[in-house]
């Protein structure tokens, strides 16, 4: 069974940057589309970004376009989320999820069958 582990969260000032990593346990990682999602206290989980299994297609939520960049290194079984120009409203627990399909979606109820435990991102001065 595919296992996902997020890392890279932390406390950062507004305008700062963080890079999140999502490491997968399975060698067939390149069969999976990966999504990043976040959930703030009292709010529903929302899609942030996603990347197809080959890395050739990506999608972003409007709220993060131009600030976040998703990428993947299939040789390392890892997907990255580079987050720049962070804002207090980006504060949330960030989760990665995997779907055994080639194309991704930022829709939470897409084909994502595997989820990580999450990593906290706090943007505050």
């Amino acid at each position: 069974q595919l296992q996902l582990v997020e890392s890279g969260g932390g406390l950062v000032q507004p305008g700062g940057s963080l890079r999140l990593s999502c490491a997968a346990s399975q060698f067939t990682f390149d069969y999976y589309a990966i999504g990043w999602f976040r959930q703030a206290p009292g709010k529903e989980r929302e899609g942030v970004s996603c990347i197809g299994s080959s890395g050739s297609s990506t999608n972003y939520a409007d709220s993060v376009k131009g600030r976040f960049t998703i990428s993947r290194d299939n040789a390392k079984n890892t997907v990255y989320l580079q987050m720049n120009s962070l804002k207090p409203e980006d504060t949330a627990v960030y989760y990665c999820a995997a779907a055994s399909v080639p194309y991704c979606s930022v829709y939470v109820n897409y084909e994502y069958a595997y989820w990580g435990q999450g990593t906290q991102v706090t943007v505050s001065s």
Side-chain angles (χ1 to χ4, degrees):
Q1 183 173 347
L2 184 68
Q3 293 183 326
L4 303 172
V5 178
E6 302 94 337
S7 62
L11 172 65
V12 63
Q13 292 185 343
S17 298
L18 284 174
R19 188 177 79 158
L20 304 184
S21 298
C22 172
S25 63
Q26 196 163 308
F27 70 94
T28 54
F29 177 71
D30 54 354
Y31 291 172
Y32 293 85
I34 302 294
W36 280 100
F37 300 85
R38 65 187 182 187
Q39 189 165 18
K43 294 188 177 180
E44 293 186 352
R45 190 170 296 188
E46 64 175 358
V48 175
S49 182
C50 68
I51 188 165
S53 59
S54 70
S56 61
S57 63
T58 58
N59 284 298
Y60 296 91
D62 288 343
S63 59
V64 306
K65 281 181 181 176
R67 301 189 297 123
F68 291 10
T69 303
I70 191 170
S71 62
R72 68 188 297 160
D73 184 342
N74 285 343
K76 295 183 178 180
N77 284 7
T78 302
V79 168
Y80 304 98
L81 185 68
Q82 178 67 42
M83 306 187 297
N84 298 329
S85 302
L86 283 161
K87 304 175 181 179
E89 51 263 45
D90 295 317
T91 295
V93 177
Y94 282 70
Y95 302 89
C96 63
S100 57
V101 293
Y103 300 106
C104 74
S105 170
V106 292
Y107 180 50
V108 173
N109 292 326
Y110 187 56
E111 304 281 340
Y112 295 107
Y114 306 97
W115 291 80
Q117 293 299 307
T119 185
Q120 176 71 47
V121 171
T122 303
V123 185
S124 175
S125 56

